[in-house]
Amino acid sequence: MSPIVSARLWQTYALPRSLYGIEVLNYTKSDITKLERLQLQICRQIQGLPKRVASAANYCLLGIEPIQSTVDRLLLTFFGGIIQDNTSIEYRIIERQLVMSKQTANTFISRLETALSKYKLPKTQELLLVKPTREKWKTTVKCAIQDYWAEKWEMEKLEKSTMKYLDIKARPIGHAHQIWKFTSNNTLEPRLGRYAQCWEDQLETLLGHRTRPRVVTVGPET
């Protein structure tokens, strides 16, 4: 199977299930680390790379963003939707957390402030006043994340000799390396389903619970 197709399967079927609702969950660094390790393992399997390959090279070749990047993007775009309506309950909760929440607490607002600072975006208070449109904010977030990881991976490239021949694009996320574009794909549709199911099973084992909703059948009352 073409690595590009395999990567799209992972991003389309398996990953969204594991990160559903992550914007409002009180996750820990350990949770993100576990998911990051799993994604790196999947990316290595897709490309046939050994374990010693640098994470940056692993991601750059497929054009996949790290788990932390995905979580940050979901969090920031979710916030961008909330600020569109200053009469909503969610908007009022954010205003309250800005006043009441501690910087060290694992709350939505503390994670938001960390992400905004990380990607050199305006502070929460400024965004509440300016209120960029939803589409404009999504574009701003996407560009900021692209620039951050491109710079980070370039720095990692200088530190690791195994990456010196790797050409990192200005905005590498979402653009697979040219080498994989020449790989043929002769995979049938049933096989795609088996790959997706296999990855879902790995996610369920990792997270300790099912990633899909449990269906409950209710019988007639007696």
Side-chain angles (χ1 to χ4, degrees):
M1 178 188 293
S2 165
I4 294 178
V5 174
S6 300
R8 286 178 181 171
L9 272 175
W10 165 254
Q11 292 178 298
T12 303
Y13 292 102
L15 191 58
R17 294 191 177 211
S18 65
L19 298 181
Y20 181 78
I22 194 73
E23 304 94 326
V24 295
L25 294 178
N26 288 330
Y27 56 84
T28 64
K29 289 184 178 180
S30 176
D31 296 329
I32 301 300
T33 300
K34 289 178 182 178
L35 286 170
E36 199 75 73
R37 287 174 180 171
L38 176 60
Q39 178 166 267
L40 283 169
Q41 177 186 341
I42 296 297
C43 290
R44 290 190 185 103
Q45 291 175 352
I46 287 173
Q47 301 176 94
L49 299 175
K51 290 184 178 180
R52 64 179 179 274
V53 172
S55 301
N58 210 345
Y59 284 141
C60 285
L61 288 171
L62 281 177
I64 289 182
E65 64 180 341
I67 292 292
Q68 185 62 66
S69 173
T70 306
V71 172
D72 291 339
R73 176 172 51 80
L74 291 172
L75 174 67
L76 291 169
T77 52
F78 178 68
F79 170 72
I82 291 177
I83 62 176
Q84 301 303 314
D85 182 9
N86 58 7
T87 62
S88 66
I89 295 176
E90 294 83 358
Y91 188 95
R92 294 175 183 176
I93 290 175
I94 287 179
E95 287 185 316
R96 184 175 182 274
Q97 282 200 356
L98 278 171
V99 178
M100 305 290 293
S101 179
K102 297 180 180 179
Q103 292 296 326
T104 56
N106 185 25
T107 61
F108 175 85
I109 202 66
S110 63
R111 294 194 298 271
L112 176 63
E113 291 283 5
T114 300
L116 290 171
S117 174
K118 178 179 180 179
Y119 298 108
K120 300 178 182 178
L121 293 167
K123 294 184 178 180
T124 307
Q125 292 89 340
E126 297 176 25
L127 292 169
L128 290 176
L129 294 173
V130 177
K131 292 184 178 62
T133 62
R134 193 188 301 266
E135 292 303 319
K136 183 178 180 180
W137 178 243
K138 282 184 178 180
T139 302
T140 301
V141 168
K142 181 179 179 180
C143 292
I145 289 177
Q146 287 272 17
D147 293 341
Y148 173 86
W149 288 102
E151 182 180 352
K152 184 178 178 65
W153 288 339
E154 281 289 356
M155 293 296 294
E156 188 172 343
K157 177 181 176 180
L158 296 175
E159 298 172 357
K160 298 186 178 181
S161 59
T162 54
M163 293 179 60
K164 64 181 179 180
Y165 297 114
L166 179 62
D167 180 23
I168 299 177
K169 299 179 181 179
R171 291 182 176 174
I173 297 175
H175 304 283
H177 194 278
Q178 191 173 2
I179 190 174
W180 294 132
K181 295 181 181 180
F182 295 101
T183 306
S184 61
N185 181 45
N186 300 318
T187 308
L188 297 177
E189 190 67 26
R191 190 176 175 187
L192 300 181
R194 290 199 296 272
Y195 272 93
Q197 183 61 52
C198 177
W199 292 335
E200 285 184 25
D201 292 341
Q202 291 187 54
L203 280 168
E204 290 172 6
T205 302
L206 174 69
L207 299 175
H209 59 79
R210 298 189 64 83
T211 57
R212 67 185 67 179
R214 186 181 296 276
V215 179
V216 180
T217 304
V218 180
E221 295 183 0
T222 56

